[in-house]
């Protein structure tokens, strides 16, 4: 049996002293896509921040294992270089820093970690051009400051573009569908689906079922009150759509 | 190494050399002291010291008189105390006012190997790289210029680029015509002191209609213990000429505080443009605030002619205390003044810096972009004056003043002064103070960047508007300096 990519064991977590997660268990194996659904305030974003190591989110009990290793003590950048990626619900603007400069530094930080040669500017641009096409991202965004003045859709495309460039082992997509129109949703979903393979695991966090029409999960979990209250296949998402979260709780 | 080594400056291929230098040292990257015999005057200041300096330099009588007049004025002046910095009292009698390499040097080949080694450590290549990079260098080692390059090439164009001592000997009429016209000897306490005891510096004259084909560059380096440096720089751009001048500085680790009180004067005639860029990285003192340079400098340019243009760009990362206001006096009609500044204070560093834009002529415009970064216990003040005279019809100023705070113990302060005496003036002022955002930091780190790299990238982004004003190779160095200066500022 293979080691799970991600394993949450009885995870309790709090933000500023307030308990949010109260005993979450989850196993994501290589190649699997897990959808986490839940009402507002269920702790979905806390889960993504906890996996990626945001300093404001404190693991108070339980374990987070990545490839069998406890990552509780790892800094966010160490987790990132180990292959954990998060697509942000609210991508952050970094004025004055061009997207290409930022991403090239990020890509090379991971390459160094893996003992691979760094990409020079020319190689980087070549790869970037190809990947940008895949996610339908306009070419000029590469030369603009990170997320600065980007539309909502452009910001989300930029997240998936970065994911394509960084080629993570575990991708956490936090509310990637929020603020997207139907066309952008389809383009982005195609970009994500193109990255599905036997090794890569994904955790897709969403409030609405519509994203899961495009990115069809292998498993669906309902998070409510800080716990996973129900797990199932892709169908579970459709039940939520029909009966609402309250019908499941 | 080539057979004809030059004491030259800017690394031509930039990044690689800079990286290498930066990798060599830990705390203060340029902290080393060259041991060489020096002709040092005992500490103390009176008329005899000024006469000694003047005689040592074979100066004409008028210059000695000028110095003595400045000294007499200085003695009646009081050290100012309105600035937002604190430092131990300076004992002017404990400073030695003259230090020079003993040997007279005929050519670069005779330069003391130790000096050359020092330049080597600073990343100044000894061979022809500078020529390829198109940079001429007037290298100042302590108080006497030891080498000047590219003179011939510049000479063909009628450009004069030499030490001010040489200019006094070779072009006394020009020096006499302009010296002290922009910054009078009585202008302020430190300018008066400088006028009395200045030992060397640079002189540039660009003749009518000539665009100087290369960036002119000077390295200053404070090296002799307890020896204050009193540099004097004078740059004159005649009608329709252009010059870009680079000033870059490093200094070795010293325990005593060292006073640096320079004066820089710029004169731009009709349709002339002077671009003056500084990257200042003098020893800031250790983490507890011991040692470090006092950098009290008077820099001022006058846009004498119509449509003349003076642009100051500065990146200040060093010194224990920085206190300077590169300024423009906009006399000529439609003349333009610009000030772009990045100042960083870390640990116990203090900076009170900004600019003065004095609009006298019609249609004059000025732009001020100031980016202040405070980290550690650093304290930083932007102090700016925009003054519009009664005859300055339709004058415009745009001021943008941003402060970035890293950590909880630092401070940023802004004192913008405005004095408008003509109702047609249009002034705009934007200011912001922000903390480095946790969200930005987490976002960058989630992409795999270390905390230090993330901070450095965010800070560099913050400074971009200023860095793009710097000549290419300077911009690279400026970015690196910022990274080095920020080390240990977070986490």
């Amino acid at each position: 049996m293979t080691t799970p990519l991600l394993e949450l064991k009885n995870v309790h977590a709090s933000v500023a002293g307030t308990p949010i997660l109260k005993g979450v268990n989850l196993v994501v194996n290589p190649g699997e896509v897990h959808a986490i659904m839940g009402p507002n305030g269920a702790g979905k974003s806390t889960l993504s921040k906890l996996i990626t190591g945001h300093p404001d989110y404190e693991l108070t009990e339980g374990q987070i294992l990545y490839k069998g290793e406890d990552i509780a003590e790892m800094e966010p950048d160490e987790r990132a270089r180990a292959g954990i990626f998060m697509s942000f619900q609210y991508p952050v603007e970094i004025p004055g820093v061009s997207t290409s400069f930022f991403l090239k530094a990020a890509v090379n930080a991971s390459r160094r970690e893996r003992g691979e040669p760094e990409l020079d500017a020319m190689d980087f641009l070549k790869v970037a051009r190809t990947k940008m096409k895949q996610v339908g991202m306009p070419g000029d965004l590469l030369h603009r400051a990170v997320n600065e003045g980007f539309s909502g859709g452009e910001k989300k495309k930029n997240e998936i573009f970065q994911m394509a460039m960084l080629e993570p082992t575990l991708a956490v997509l936090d509310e990637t569908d929020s603020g997207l129109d139907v066309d952008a949703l389809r383009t982005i979903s195609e970009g994500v689906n193109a990255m599905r393979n036997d090794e890569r695991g994904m955790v897709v966090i969403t409030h609405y079922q519509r994203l899961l029409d495009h990115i069809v999960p292998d498993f669906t979990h309902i998070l409510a009150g800080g716990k996973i209250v129900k797990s199932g296949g892709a169908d579970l998402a459709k039940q939520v759509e029909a009966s609402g979260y309250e019908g499941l709780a | 190494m080539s057979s004809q080594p030059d004491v030259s400056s800017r690394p031509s291929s930039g990044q690689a050399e800079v990286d290498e230098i930066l990798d060599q040292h830990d705390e203060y990257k340029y902290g080393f002291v060259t041991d060489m015999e020096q002709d040092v005057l005992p500490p103390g200041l009176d008329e005899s010291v000024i006469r000694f300096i003047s005689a040592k330099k074979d100066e004409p009588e008028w210059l000695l008189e000028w110095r003595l007049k400045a000294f007499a004025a200085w003695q009646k002046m009081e050290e100012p105390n309105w600035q937002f910095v604190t430092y131990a009292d300076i004992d002017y009698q404990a400073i030695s006012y003259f230090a020079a390499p003993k040997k007279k040097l005929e050519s670069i080949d005779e330069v003391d190997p130790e000096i050359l080694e020092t330049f080597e450590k600073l990343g100044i290549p000894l061979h022809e790289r500078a020529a390829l990079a198109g940079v001429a260098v007037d290298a100042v080692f302590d108080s006497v210029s030891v080498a000047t390059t590219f003179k011939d090439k510049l000479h063909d164009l009628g450009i004069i680029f030499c030490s001010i001592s040489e200019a006094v000997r070779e072009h006394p009429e020009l020096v006499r015509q302009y010296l002290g016209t922009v910054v009078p000897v009585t202008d302020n306490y430190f300018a008066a002191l400088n006028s009395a005891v200045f030992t060397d510096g640079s002189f540039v004259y660009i003749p009518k209609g000539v665009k100087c084909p290369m960036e002119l560059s000077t390295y200053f380096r404070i090296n002799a213990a307890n020896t204050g440096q009193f540099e004097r720089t004078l740059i004159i751009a005649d009608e329709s000429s252009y010059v870009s001048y680079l000033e870059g500085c490093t200094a070795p680790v010293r325990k005593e505080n060292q006073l640096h009180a320079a004066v820089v004067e710029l004169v731009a005639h009709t349709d002339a443009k002077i671009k003056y860029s500084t990257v200042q990285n003098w020893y800031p003192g250790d983490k507890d605030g011991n040692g470090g340079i006092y950098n009290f400098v008077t820099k001022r340019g006058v846009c004498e002619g119509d449509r003349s243009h003076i642009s100051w760009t500065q990146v200040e990362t060093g010194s224990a205390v920085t206190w300077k206001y590169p300024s423009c006096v906009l006399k000529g009609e439609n003349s333009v003044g610009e000030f772009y500044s990045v100042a960083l204070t870390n640990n116990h560093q203090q900076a009170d810096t900004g600019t003065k834009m004095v609009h006298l002529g019609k249609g004059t415009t000025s732009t001020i972009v100031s980016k202040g970064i405070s980290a550690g216990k650093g304290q930083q003040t932007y102090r700016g004056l925009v003054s519009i005279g009664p005859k300055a019809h339709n004058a415009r100023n745009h001021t943008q003043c941003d402060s970035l705070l890293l950590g909880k113990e630092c401070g940023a302060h802004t004192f913008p002064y405005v004095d408008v005496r003509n109702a047609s003036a249009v002034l705009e002022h934007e200011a912001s103070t922000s903390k480095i955002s946790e969200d930005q930091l987490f976002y960058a780190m989630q992409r795999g960047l270390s905390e230090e790299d993330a901070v450095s990238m965010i800070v560099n982004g913050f400074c971009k508007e200023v860095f793009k004003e710097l000549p290419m190779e300077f911009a690279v160095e400026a970015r690196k300096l910022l990274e080095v200066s920020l080390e240990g500022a977070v986490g």
Side-chain angles (χ1 to χ4, degrees), chain B residues 156-367:
Chain B
D156 292 343
L157 291 164
I159 292 170
I160 303 165
F161 176 40
C162 61
S163 73
I164 198 136
S165 313
E166 192 181 334
V168 168
R169 286 195 305 274
E170 306 290 329
H171 311 279
E173 69 299 335
L174 273 175
V175 177
R176 196 172 182 180
Q177 186 184 344
Y178 289 102
L179 189 70
T181 59
V182 185
V183 180
V185 293
T186 53
D187 187 81
N188 68 70
Y189 187 80
F190 295 104
L193 178 62
N194 174 286
S195 301
V197 301
F198 75 89
T199 43
D200 221 326
S202 293
F203 178 83
V204 177
Y205 173 79
I206 314 291
K208 280 183 191 174
V210 172
K211 312 272 185 241
C212 184
M214 57 188 79
E215 315 266 1
L216 299 182
S217 171
T218 299
Y219 260 95
F220 294 100
R221 187 170 169 80
I222 299 172
N223 201 292
N226 274 334
T227 304
Q229 278 232 325
F230 301 92
E231 306 289 344
R232 189 90 196 184
T233 298
L234 177 57
I235 299 177
I236 302 140
D238 217 327
E239 289 175 21
S240 303
S241 69
Y242 168 81
V243 63
S244 170
Y245 186 89
L246 315 182
E247 176 198 351
C249 320
T250 57
V253 172
R254 285 291 179 194
K255 278 188 183 154
E256 305 86 353
N257 288 308
Q258 291 179 301
L259 174 64
H260 185 95
V263 172
V264 176
E265 297 180 283
L266 313 181
V267 181
H269 287 288
T270 305
D271 290 312
K273 177 170 182 183
I274 301 174
K275 187 171 166 58
Y276 191 105
S277 310
T278 306
V279 171
Q280 186 266 116
N281 182 33
W282 287 336
Y283 182 54
D286 66 16
K287 288 205 163 98
D288 301 317
N290 302 311
I293 310 287
Y294 295 168
N295 187 21
F296 303 162
V297 176
T298 307
K299 288 180 165 175
R300 193 177 303 154
V302 57
C303 283
E304 193 70 54
D306 295 349
R307 297 170 302 279
S308 55
H309 187 156
I310 288 178
S311 180
W312 299 98
T313 306
Q314 61 171 25
V315 177
E316 303 280 331
T317 64
S319 295
V321 182
T322 299
W323 182 16
K324 59 182 268 201
Y325 313 94
S327 303
C328 298
V329 179
L330 305 169
K331 272 193 198 168
E333 287 185 14
N334 299 311
S335 59
V336 178
E338 292 171 325
F339 174 74
Y340 299 97
S341 170
V342 166
L344 181 143
T345 49
N346 196 359
N347 298 320
H348 289 263
Q349 281 178 280
Q350 309 171 68
D352 188 324
T353 185
T355 185
K356 288 186 277 186
M357 292 292 174
V358 181
H359 294 251
L360 300 177
K362 285 181 195 161
T364 45
T365 57
S366 61
T367 302

Side-chain angles (χ1 to χ4, degrees), chain B residues 94 140 148 173 248 270 304 329 351 357 393 416 421 436 469 472:
Chain B
V140 172
T148 304
E173 69 299 335
T270 305
E304 193 70 54
V329 179
M357 292 292 174
H393 301 290
R421 290 167 197 274
I436 196 158
E469 296 296 325
M472 182 64 172

